[in-house]
Amino acid sequence: EYELFVKVRDTVAAEIAKIQASAAAIAQLDALASLAERALSMRYVRPLMTTKDRIHIKDGRHPVIEQLADAERFVPNDTLMDCTENQVMIITGPNMAGKSTYIRQVALIAVMAHIGSFIPAGEAEICIVDRVFTRVGASDDLARGRSTFMVEMQETANILNNATPRSLIVLDEIGRGTSTFDGISIAWAVTEFLHNNPAVKAKTLFA
């Protein structure tokens, strides 16, 4: 039995390059077929990709939330962002109003467009972005001695130090890990920096 096993293993090993090439081709085909199936089933549209600095989405939808079995009818939203007149969007509202859903929706649509997928929208013009930065959720890292506030500040510092005018930034309630006054001060300072610093001036969604 062991001799048969070794023979099979050696035979497979001799053809490993062909097997890996076939697996890679099947994986790529599977990914593309999945994107195509979702696009047809969910009425996705082909985005217009440009080298400008504008993201313009009409009737955009969240690709996950709209498919939840117990979700209410998803209300589509428009988005217009650029690096001049519509650079920073401040989204306010009560809890459960959909602020986090909206900002994540824009980030997901941008990522989907960049991987070559059709997107959940009526129509869209998406500029090339170099990176999508996110600061969402509230979680600590006690194993490494980092509080919720520390995690927030380190992730925010990474964004401020590495974002460019080509980036897309999604910020969800910065400063929630500390007192109200301090949190507002941090959020204000971060927003001013992203808006006024010519080296950054990234398109920013701030809930």
Side-chain angles (χ1 to χ4, degrees):
E1 185 179 318
Y2 179 71
E3 288 174 359
L4 287 170
F5 167 72
V6 170
K7 186 176 180 181
V8 170
R9 186 182 63 188
D10 292 343
T11 303
V12 171
E15 304 294 335
I16 195 68
K18 293 179 180 178
I19 292 171
Q20 289 180 334
S22 298
I26 291 169
Q28 187 175 27
L29 187 62
D30 182 41
L32 294 173
S34 296
L35 293 176
E37 188 278 328
R38 285 293 81 192
L40 287 168
S41 299
M42 305 306 298
R43 307 182 319 281
Y44 289 179
V45 299
R46 179 180 180 177
L48 173 64
M49 302 298 294
T50 72
T51 55
K52 302 175 184 176
D53 67 353
R54 198 164 87 126
I55 293 178
H56 188 199
I57 302 167
K58 288 186 178 180
D59 295 332
R61 313 187 304 276
H62 193 296
V64 177
I65 302 298
E66 72 168 350
Q67 295 182 60
L68 295 179
D70 56 348
E72 298 177 13
R73 185 181 69 83
F74 193 91
V75 179
N77 300 281
D78 296 346
T79 304
L80 175 60
M81 303 190 75
D82 52 47
C83 291
T84 52
E85 307 229 335
N86 305 284
Q87 186 218 330
V88 178
M89 289 182 68
I90 307 289
I91 295 95
T92 63
N95 292 333
M96 297 298 292
K99 301 184 299 294
S100 297
T101 298
Y102 177 73
I103 63 176
R104 294 178 196 203
Q105 160 193 315
V106 176
L108 278 170
I109 287 176
V111 171
M112 290 175 71
H114 278 71
I115 66 170
S117 171
F118 281 35
I119 59 170
E123 61 178 281
E125 175 187 333
I126 309 288
C127 66
I128 302 296
V129 300
D130 57 6
R131 279 167 290 191
V132 177
F133 290 100
T134 63
R135 160 84 283 282
V136 297
S139 59
D140 53 38
D141 187 1
L142 296 182
R144 296 181 184 173
R146 299 194 302 167
S147 67
T148 301
F149 179 66
M150 185 67 168
V151 171
E152 264 193 333
M153 292 303 97
Q154 287 182 334
E155 291 182 356
T156 302
N158 176 59
I159 293 171
L160 299 183
N161 289 323
N162 295 293
T164 73
R166 278 284 176 194
S167 302
L168 175 62
I169 301 175
V170 171
L171 305 172
D172 195 355
E173 295 185 11
I174 281 184
R176 76 171 84 188
T178 188
S179 66
T180 302
F181 184 78
D182 291 348
I184 290 173
S185 301
I186 291 166
W188 189 308
V190 167
T191 306
E192 279 195 352
F193 180 84
L194 292 172
H195 183 269
N196 298 339
N197 190 337
V200 181
K201 273 227 171 280
K203 291 173 284 297
T204 303
L205 290 153
F206 203 142

